[in-house]
Amino acid sequence: MKKLLLSISILAVLISCKPAKENKPATFELPAVADIAMYQVNPRVFAPEKSLNAVAARIDSIRDLGVNVMWVMPIYPIGIEKGKNSPYCIQDYKAIAPEFGTIDDFKNLTKVCHEHGMGIILDWVANHTAWDHPWVKAHPDWYTHDEEADTIIHPRPWDWFDVADLNYDNKDMREAMIDAMKFWITEVGIDGFRCDVADGVPADFWKDAIDQLRQAAAPRKIVMLAEGKRSDNFTVGGFDMNYGWDYKDELVKVFKGAPASDLIAADKAEYDSLPAGKVKMRFTTNHDHATETEPCVQFTNDRGAMAAYVASIFPHGGALIYGSQEVGYPEPINFFKYVPVDWTAKPEIYQEYEELIELYNEHPALRKGTMTAYPDNDVLVFEKVDAAERFLILVNVRNEPKTTTIPENWVGHQTEDEVTDKDITLDATITLEPYQYLILEY
């Protein structure tokens, strides 16, 4: 039986050597939630101005990674009063900040994404607004007040002093919020939302909003991603995906020395109570984490970053790439300001992400097959199986060679290394190089 072995040895073929991929027709259908591979766009790493056009200009490079949904961070006008230039400080829910471009630029980006076979979702900030949002003066009762009920407060318990906390006891505010969300669905044609601080907003609001958004979009499908981890994101709110925060936390601990098998426990804890058809988004970085460090630093080096990514996306899918990690950007990114990224850096890292997402897309078993784990202290070992395919994934989570035991049903099977074209027969044990990973199929 033929097996596929993906090695992590340095990839020698540059991106430019690969044949160009054909664009898909303009008629676009959103993939099923379990099949989503998402790319997060922080416009402030693309250009200091008119960045939506800069994103559109890089659409081939983004699409060629194999992603099928683009998530764009907030591009609305940013509040000035008490402001910090945070894109999550919204002054107007139905407009675009001149820094990023115009509404026509965003409509063009939406069109370009669809033409390239990708959905596009927009970051939505429903928990709070800027202090100079028109609602503050026109509808002060739409905001949370202090105990004396005479002063609008910032969201508690956080130190987000640049924004005013919205009051979800107010029915009129809820209706205005849903109306603003519908605008982007019906007038611009986006495919859903990533909802910021979703756990800070009542789940019954999300249910009402999501029900109305799905109705407004029909017959098109939309996808709704909650930045949260509460179970009622799904059971009440109606979200399709939420964050695998706990898994990422455990990933960091494991790469610092905790047993590799702790990742299996973390995966099980997140998925045991998950309703059927729902997905946890898995990542090694995002815009919040990137303000502190990048994967190639947090996980020691580029090899550690790639090993961590494999350990993130294959147990249960939900893959995310944060724009900049595909070129191994080494420095923190403060999304409150423009940070230029060299998109030509480390083409071998770009191609490795491309190879991994290609495997992710082409083999359903890898993203949503049944998982069987084999506990080990230093190597993450698990099988992914569906009716058609069987894979064995091994990830050395240490920066030194480690030996692990091969599951009995794999011992003695011949494999083929697709990078070197060498035939390999698996013994009872195998030694992996520092941060090496293997993806085997028979």
Side-chain angles (χ1 to χ4, degrees):
M1 290 176 284
K2 182 177 178 181
K3 303 183 180 238
L4 171 67
L5 173 60
L6 174 65
S7 164
I8 56 122
S9 40
I10 297 300
L11 299 166
V13 183
L14 298 180
I15 305 158
S16 58
C17 297
K18 299 193 72 171
K21 298 179 182 178
E22 294 183 2
N23 291 347
K24 294 185 178 180
T27 300
F28 171 76
E29 184 174 350
L30 198 69
V33 63
D35 299 330
I36 286 175
M38 192 174 295
Y39 185 88
Q40 181 185 359
V41 165
N42 170 7
R44 284 174 166 169
V45 302
F46 284 84
E49 58 184 15
K50 297 183 178 179
S51 50
L52 292 174
N53 289 338
V55 175
R58 288 202 57 79
I59 197 70
D60 288 336
S61 176
I62 295 170
R63 183 274 314 274
D64 286 354
L65 283 168
V67 295
N68 50 31
V69 173
M70 177 187 290
W71 150 27
V72 182
M73 288 172 62
I75 39 74
Y76 319 97
I78 295 170
I80 303 300
E81 183 180 347
K82 302 183 185 181
K84 302 176 183 178
N85 205 31
S86 167
Y88 290 88
C89 179
I90 312 302
Q91 191 185 69
D92 184 345
Y93 283 117
K94 292 185 178 181
I96 290 180
E99 169 192 349
F100 303 121
T102 67
I103 191 70
D104 286 337
D105 293 334
F106 191 79
K107 287 180 178 179
N108 178 65
L109 179 59
T110 299
K111 176 177 177 288
V112 167
C113 280
H114 289 168
E115 289 174 346
H116 284 71
M118 289 190 292
I120 181 169
I121 66 173
L122 186 56
D123 223 318
W124 194 259
V125 188
N127 185 70
H128 47 263
T129 74
W131 290 97
D132 46 2
H133 191 292
W135 289 356
V136 173
K137 289 184 178 179
H139 306 285
D141 56 322
W142 289 10
Y143 292 84
T144 308
H145 290 65
D146 62 12
E147 290 77 5
E148 288 74 30
D150 59 359
T151 303
I152 297 173
I153 63 174
H154 73 275
R156 307 292 171 82
W158 303 289
D159 60 351
W160 303 340
F161 301 114
D162 59 328
V163 290
D165 192 60
L166 285 164
N167 172 22
Y168 274 85
D169 290 335
N170 190 290
K171 182 177 180 295
D172 291 337
M173 186 278 291
R174 288 183 175 221
E175 291 178 356
M177 183 67 70
I178 294 172
D179 175 73
M181 297 178 81
K182 283 181 181 178
F183 168 81
W184 297 95
I185 296 288
T186 60
E187 300 302 316
V188 181
I190 68 169
D191 304 293
F193 293 97
R194 176 268 186 188
C195 296
D196 186 64
V197 199
D199 286 356
V201 174
D204 68 307
F205 166 77
W206 290 125
K207 174 174 173 47
D208 190 20
I210 292 172
D211 284 350
Q212 291 194 44
L213 292 174
R214 294 196 195 282
Q215 184 176 3
R220 294 190 300 123
K221 297 178 182 177
I222 62 170
V223 63
M224 298 295 295
L225 165 63
E227 188 213 11
K229 60 181 184 178
R230 289 191 333 219
S231 59
D232 64 2
N233 294 155
F234 301 122
T235 57
V236 177
F239 282 99
D240 302 296
M241 307 174 71
N242 74 358
Y243 272 46
W245 284 122
D246 292 341
Y247 191 86
K248 169 62 193 298
D249 291 343
E250 202 61 47
L251 188 72
V252 173
K253 293 176 185 177
V254 165
F255 273 73
K256 288 182 177 179
S261 53
D262 285 0
L263 281 173
I264 302 300
D267 178 76
K268 188 174 187 297
E270 287 193 336
Y271 268 87
D272 270 1
S273 60
L274 210 64
K278 306 298 184 180
V279 173
K280 285 280 185 179
M281 188 178 71
R282 294 278 171 79
F283 48 85
T284 54
T285 190
N286 54 45
H287 69 281
D288 287 314
H289 287 178
T291 62
E292 301 172 0
T293 186
E294 286 290 344
C296 59
V297 176
Q298 186 167 47
F299 300 104
T300 307
N301 53 33
D302 286 331
R303 299 279 22 104
M306 298 311 303
Y309 194 69
V310 171
S312 296
I313 70 169
F314 289 121
H316 269 104
L320 174 72
I321 294 178
Y322 175 56
S324 70
Q325 79 178 90
E326 75 267 33
V327 292
Y329 189 79
E331 302 294 333
I333 293 177
N334 182 341
F335 60 88
F336 286 26
K337 62 183 181 181
Y338 170 59
V339 178
V341 166
D342 179 4
W343 300 105
T344 66
K346 299 181 182 178
E348 73 281 358
I349 296 298
Y350 175 99
Q351 188 178 3
E352 193 167 353
Y353 278 110
E354 185 181 23
E355 296 277 355
L356 290 172
I357 297 299
E358 183 176 17
L359 282 172
Y360 179 96
N361 289 333
E362 291 185 354
H363 300 284
L366 282 174
R367 62 185 184 272
K368 54 189 178 184
T370 300
M371 185 173 77
T372 302
Y374 300 90
D376 187 279
N377 188 68
D378 300 309
V379 180
L380 179 64
V381 183
F382 60 96
E383 270 187 325
K384 294 297 294 295
V385 178
D386 66 9
E389 300 175 306
R390 179 183 299 270
F391 288 88
L392 179 67
I393 294 91
L394 304 99
V395 183
N396 182 0
V397 299
R398 309 294 178 225
N399 194 22
E400 58 183 309
K402 290 295 178 181
T403 300
T404 190
T405 301
I406 294 294
E408 288 185 7
N409 59 322
W410 287 80
V411 174
H413 286 287
Q414 185 177 342
T415 65
E416 182 181 348
D417 183 338
E418 294 295 327
V419 175
T420 64
D421 292 326
K422 292 180 180 179
D423 291 333
I424 301 172
T425 300
L426 290 172
D427 295 325
T429 63
I430 190 169
T431 299
L432 301 180
E433 296 302 313
Y435 295 135
Q436 184 181 4
Y437 61 81
L438 299 174
I439 302 173
L440 312 171
E441 180 193 6
Y442 75 77

